Amino acid sequence: MKLKIAGVGEAVLRDGARPLRSAEIGSGALDALIEHMRETLRDAPGVGLAAPQVGEAIQLLIVEDKAEYHANLKVEQLQERERRPIDFHVLINPVIEILSTPDVSFFEGCLSLPGFVAMVPRARSVRVHALDQTGKSVQVEAEGWYARILQHEIDHLNGTLYIDRMWSRSFSSISQYDRHLKQRSQADLLHEFRPA
Ligand code: ZN
């Protein structure tokens, strides 16, 4: 079942999410929510979705970055972004360790702010401690685009959106981005939009 995605302005995106209790993890209700979130993410399509984005104020997120989503990016763009396919997985009650200064900036968007993108500085590498869908402890080491996705989704669990972190002068509609910004070099974009 496709779920309705909360849009910027809705309180659930700002209020923060509560941790899941162990009795909830692995329950039929939670597994059904995860399956519906997966369907919603693929339909969008997107590479990550946090439970508050579907109206559930709980610390749950899913990630999936499929190779087919990379078709409209050039090889050098994928390399610059350190973007590689990531298999579908679930993270519950995540705790993030930022392992490098947030000094890598690329355009990113959010399913809760459809039609817009902006340059957002993120750390290149992070470590996340969490539980998987079955309640087992997992530790994820992530670099590049995967680290960006995790920072974006875990921000959602704390009521933070990318617009709180973006270089605001880079904020753009996707149509204007496609027309004017997509082809420009990373060096050129950094020069134009990096705050003084
Ligand atoms: Zn988002």
Side-chain angles (χ1 to χ4, degrees):
M1 185 176 72
K2 223 183 96 181
L3 304 171
K4 181 175 175 291
I5 297 181
V8 62
E10 291 189 50
V12 70
L13 293 175
R14 289 307 198 173
D15 287 348
R18 69 167 176 87
L20 280 164
R21 295 184 297 273
S22 56
E24 295 174 284
I25 299 166
S27 68
L30 196 72
D31 287 347
L33 173 66
I34 290 166
E35 202 45 48
H36 296 151
M37 285 176 65
R38 181 178 189 160
E39 193 181 329
T40 305
L41 181 64
R42 285 185 173 170
D43 178 75
V47 297
L49 189 66
Q53 292 184 276
V54 294
E56 299 287 344
I58 53 177
Q59 291 187 18
L60 163 71
L61 64 89
I62 62 173
V63 173
E64 182 179 47
D65 193 2
K66 296 200 225 183
E68 65 192 73
Y69 300 156
H70 304 176
N72 61 345
L73 288 163
K74 297 187 200 122
V75 173
E76 60 263 34
Q77 289 177 312
L78 291 170
Q79 284 171 350
E80 261 174 356
R81 285 160 177 72
E82 299 183 90
R83 185 165 173 182
R84 294 173 280 270
I86 302 294
D87 288 339
F88 177 84
H89 62 283
V90 176
L91 295 174
I92 291 170
N93 300 347
V95 175
I96 190 165
E97 279 180 74
I98 303 291
L99 300 179
S100 57
T101 48
D103 58 1
V104 181
S105 292
F106 288 105
F107 279 91
E108 67 178 61
C110 177
L111 297 175
S112 294
L113 291 92
F116 294 93
V117 289
M119 289 186 92
V120 183
R122 301 283 189 187
R124 180 179 168 270
S125 66
V126 300
R127 183 182 298 126
V128 175
H129 305 268
L131 302 174
D132 71 8
Q133 186 168 353
T134 67
K136 187 164 68 82
S137 287
V138 290
Q139 182 175 301
V140 175
E141 311 267 350
E143 294 180 339
W145 203 259
Y146 181 28
R148 175 172 296 270
I149 295 168
L150 291 173
Q151 289 167 80
H152 179 119
E153 300 310 330
I154 292 171
D155 269 354
H156 273 302
L157 304 181
N158 297 311
T160 295
L161 301 173
Y162 82 78
I163 51 175
D164 305 329
R165 302 190 186 275
M166 70 181 177
W167 289 351
S168 54
R169 291 179 62 87
S170 70
F171 189 61
S172 173
S173 68
I174 287 177
S175 60
Q176 290 301 319
Y177 171 79
D178 284 343
R179 204 171 304 171
H180 299 296
L181 299 171
K182 196 162 110 177
Q183 294 78 13
R184 289 170 60 178
S185 73
Q186 176 67 0
D188 188 25
L189 294 170
L190 292 174
H191 180 259
E192 173 144 355
F193 294 119
R194 188 193 295 280

